[in-house]
């Protein structure tokens, strides 16, 4: 096969995998596990269009078609023979298409784009994710499964002494977390499965039968004697193979917008929200307001500071007098906040919406709901407002970590107060986040100072995935 690219060798290998269906028991199982995650995530959303990458002979395709019989499904694979076998299984119910997942040539937009055990074959998965994100409808989701570090480790260890292992170096789950589509909410989660084999020969035959036998570039095949030694060590170690799988689920925001939260109360969320509204000609929504006994409220404040018309500042779901958390302020008035009433506005979906939270992430909304839960529910990317000075590193980095642990996309951080280049650099590097702006302290807050500060912020087109 000299002169043939590795990608073409992979394609040919899968084309010739005639016994794939009988041999690919783990691939079938992982497809089922991925489908269960898709079904759960889409429980309240009936998809109209689904794009599958790397469909193979149709393990995942069959499950999708059975569960959503009315959805248009386009199932694609790099290997023409695989597409033919899938089509023979499912007939006209599914549209088969030969396509390289790294260069999609089908028309969007889709409710679901998915692929089981295809991700590890991509040379530049991050670039593929960024492209696929643009093919999603607002609120659409990406679902993938892929191999991670530790897969085939038993065989790798058996070959180590011969210094020649053809299996790839798969990424760690931690490294994979940074491979994600721009400002989509979601994350990767890991799982490990053990597959026993009767012999080393059976394992190697399995790789050949499933088309997964193309080694890494530069691999030099073991000499017969060395191969026998590796096979003997493998069998002596128990003759089983570990599959380390990562499942990724990412959702595109359901509408244009950001959620503004802070590292604490009083860090300047309302001022920065007004700046964002001004900079982006955005809508504004403060879903829950408290402290109205002491001040006119953030909605009126932002309307005035940003010079926005009243129609651009949407009414709150709950407004309370006491300067307490939303839960405590509502209770003080003998009221309760209905979680079902907290629905993200869908007016002018293409126009950015600035949603301002109450306090920080862990502020209670009800006895079972906190601000961070609303952020997860609404799946908007987050703008974190933080103080620029002493103490900000701990508060900001903890806030970023809490958001990432929940799969929340982070648009960036705005530092409010006297410019501090060192804190700015540390937050950017340690927090792996973009600093959207450093906004100097304003001794007087007015429409003029908001307009001036808003010019320091990036444009909406520079922030948004839309």
């Amino acid at each position: 096969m000299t002169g043939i690219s590795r990608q073409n060798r992979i394609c040919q290998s899968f084309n010739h995998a005639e016994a794939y269906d009988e041999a690919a028991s783990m691939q079938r199982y992982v497809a089922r596990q991925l489908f269960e995650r898709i079904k759960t995530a889409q429980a309240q959303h009936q998809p109209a269009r689904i794009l599958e990458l790397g469909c193979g002979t149709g393990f995942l395709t069959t499950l999708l078609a059975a569960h959503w019989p009315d959805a248009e499904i386009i199932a694609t694979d790099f290997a023409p023979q695989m597409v033919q076998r899938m089509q023979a299984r499912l007939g006209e119910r599914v549209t088969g298409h030969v396509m390289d997942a790294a260069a999609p040539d089908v028309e969007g937009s889709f409710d679901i784009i998915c692929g089981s055990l295809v991700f590890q074959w991509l040379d530049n998965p991050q670039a593929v994710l960024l492209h696929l994100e643009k093919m999603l409808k607002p609120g659409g989701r990406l679902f993938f499964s892929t191999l991670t570090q530790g897969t085939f480790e038993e065989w790798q260890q058996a070959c180590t002494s011969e210094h020649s292992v053809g299996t790839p170096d798969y990424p760690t789950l931690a490294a994979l977390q940074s491979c994600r589509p721009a400002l989509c909410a979601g994350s990767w989660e890991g799982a490990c499965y053990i597959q026993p084999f009767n012999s080393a020969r059976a394992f190697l035959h399995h790789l050949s039968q499933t088309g997964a036998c193309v080694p890494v570039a530069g691999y030099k095949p073991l000499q017969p004697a060395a191969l026998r030694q590796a096979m003997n060590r493998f069998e002596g170690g128990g003759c089983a193979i570990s599959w380390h799988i990562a499942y990724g689920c990412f959702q595109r925001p359901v509408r244009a917008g950001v959620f503004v939260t802070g590292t604490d109360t009083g860090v300047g969320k309302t001022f920065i929200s007004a700046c964002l509204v001004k900079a982006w000609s955005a809508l504004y929504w403060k879903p829950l307001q408290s402290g109205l006994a002491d001040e006119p409220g953030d909605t009126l404040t932002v309307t005035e500071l940003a010079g926005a018309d009243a129609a651009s500042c949407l009414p709150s779901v709950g407004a309370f007098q006491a300067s307490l958390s939303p839960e405590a302020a509502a209770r003080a008035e003998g009221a309760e906040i209905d979680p079902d009433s907290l629905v993200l506005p869908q007016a002018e979906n293409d126009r950015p919406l600035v949603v301002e939270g109450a306090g920080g992430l862990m502020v209670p909304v009800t006895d079972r709901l906190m601000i961070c839960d609303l952020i997860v529910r609404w799946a908007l990317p987050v703008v974190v407002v933080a103080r620029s000075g002493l103490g900000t590193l701990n508060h900001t980095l903890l806030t970023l970590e809490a958001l990432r642990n929940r799969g929340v996309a982070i648009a960036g951080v705005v530092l409010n107060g006297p410019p501090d280049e060192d804190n700015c650099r540390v937050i950017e590097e340690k927090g792996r986040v973009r600093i959207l702006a450093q906004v100097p302290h304003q001794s007087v807050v007015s429409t003029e100072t908001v307009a001036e500060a808003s010019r320091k912020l990036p444009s909406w087109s520079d922030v948004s995935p839309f």
Side-chain angles (χ1 to χ4, degrees), residues 301-330:
T301 299
V302 169
T303 303
E304 294 176 349
L305 290 177
D309 60 85
S312 296
C313 294
L314 308 179
S316 300
V317 172
F320 310 102
Q321 299 299 307
S323 296
L324 301 169
S325 71
E327 179 193 24

Side-chain angles (χ1 to χ4, degrees), residues 215-381:
V216 295
Y219 168 72
K220 295 181 180 179
L222 296 175
Q223 295 300 313
L227 178 59
R228 283 194 297 272
Q229 289 178 356
M231 293 172 71
N232 289 337
R233 276 194 293 271
F234 177 73
E235 291 174 355
C239 219
I241 282 292
S242 299
W243 295 76
H244 291 260
I245 310 295
Y247 297 94
C249 173
F250 302 94
Q251 182 181 9
R252 191 182 188 201
V254 297
R255 60 157 300 137
V258 296
F259 190 105
V260 178
T261 192
T263 55
D264 198 356
T265 298
V267 295
K269 292 191 308 298
T270 302
F271 174 70
I272 297 302
S273 293
C275 293
L276 293 172
V277 170
K278 180 70 175 179
W280 298 342
S281 298
L283 298 168
Y284 172 82
W285 186 47
K286 177 88 170 185
L288 298 166
Q289 298 199 67
S290 55
L292 295 180
D294 304 315
E295 56 185 34
D298 295 336
T299 300
L300 180 58
T301 299
V302 169
T303 303
E304 294 176 349
L305 290 177
D309 60 85
S312 296
C313 294
L314 308 179
S316 300
V317 172
F320 310 102
Q321 299 299 307
S323 296
L324 301 169
S325 71
E327 179 193 24
R331 189 187 306 118
E333 298 180 18
E336 290 185 3
I337 297 171
D338 180 6
D340 293 335
S341 69
L342 297 168
V343 178
L344 195 66
Q346 296 299 304
E348 300 182 70
N349 277 1
D350 293 332
R351 183 180 176 187
L353 171 69
V354 174
V355 181
E356 183 184 349
L361 297 181
M362 300 301 176
V363 170
V365 174
T366 70
D367 59 344
R368 296 186 178 182
L369 198 68
M370 305 184 85
I371 290 295
C372 58
D373 298 313
L374 293 181
I375 293 174
V376 171
R377 174 187 292 187
W378 292 330
L380 289 178

Side-chain angles (χ1 to χ4, degrees), residues 183 280 411 434-436 457-466:
L183 298 183
W280 298 342
R434 178 183 181 184
I435 302 297
L436 298 176
L457 294 163
S459 67
W460 173 244
S461 62
D462 187 32
V463 172
S464 167
F466 281 76

Side-chain angles (χ1 to χ4, degrees), residues 74-290:
I74 302 175
T76 72
D77 200 283
F78 191 37
Q81 292 297 323
M82 287 290 188
V83 175
Q84 289 180 19
R85 293 172 206 158
M86 180 281 302
Q87 202 80 73
R89 170 178 285 170
L90 292 168
E92 296 182 358
R93 169 66 191 87
V94 172
T95 300
H97 179 60
V98 178
M99 185 186 82
D100 183 354
D105 60 0
V106 295
E107 294 290 330
S109 54
F110 294 93
D111 300 283
I112 295 172
I113 299 178
C114 57
S116 186
L117 295 180
V118 64
F119 205 73
Q120 67 271 7
W121 298 108
L122 302 175
D123 289 335
N124 191 345
Q126 179 63 35
V128 174
L129 284 179
L130 294 177
H131 183 79
L132 294 175
E133 175 193 3
K134 295 179 173 58
M135 297 173 64
L136 288 173
K137 295 177 182 177
R141 290 181 170 94
L142 298 171
F143 299 93
F144 288 101
S145 61
T146 190
L147 303 180
T148 59
Q149 189 178 80
T151 299
F152 304 149
E153 61 185 346
E154 295 85 355
W155 177 249
Q156 291 169 343
Q157 290 168 3
C159 294
T160 296
S161 297
E162 276 61 51
H163 306 289
S164 185
V165 182
T167 55
D169 290 325
Y170 299 113
T172 65
L173 182 61
L176 196 60
Q177 295 296 355
S178 63
C179 188
R180 54 179 300 130
L183 298 183
C184 287
S187 62
W188 296 92
E189 62 171 317
C192 179
Y193 313 116
I194 305 299
Q195 183 175 15
F197 288 91
N198 292 327
S199 65
R201 186 178 299 276
F203 165 63
L204 296 175
H205 188 53
H206 163 83
L207 294 181
S208 177
Q209 286 181 307
T210 58
C213 54
V214 179
V216 295
Y219 168 72
K220 295 181 180 179
L222 296 175
Q223 295 300 313
L227 178 59
R228 283 194 297 272
Q229 289 178 356
M231 293 172 71
N232 289 337
R233 276 194 293 271
F234 177 73
E235 291 174 355
C239 219
I241 282 292
S242 299
W243 295 76
H244 291 260
I245 310 295
Y247 297 94
C249 173
F250 302 94
Q251 182 181 9
R252 191 182 188 201
V254 297
R255 60 157 300 137
V258 296
F259 190 105
V260 178
T261 192
T263 55
D264 198 356
T265 298
V267 295
K269 292 191 308 298
T270 302
F271 174 70
I272 297 302
S273 293
C275 293
L276 293 172
V277 170
K278 180 70 175 179
W280 298 342
S281 298
L283 298 168
Y284 172 82
W285 186 47
K286 177 88 170 185
L288 298 166
Q289 298 199 67
S290 55

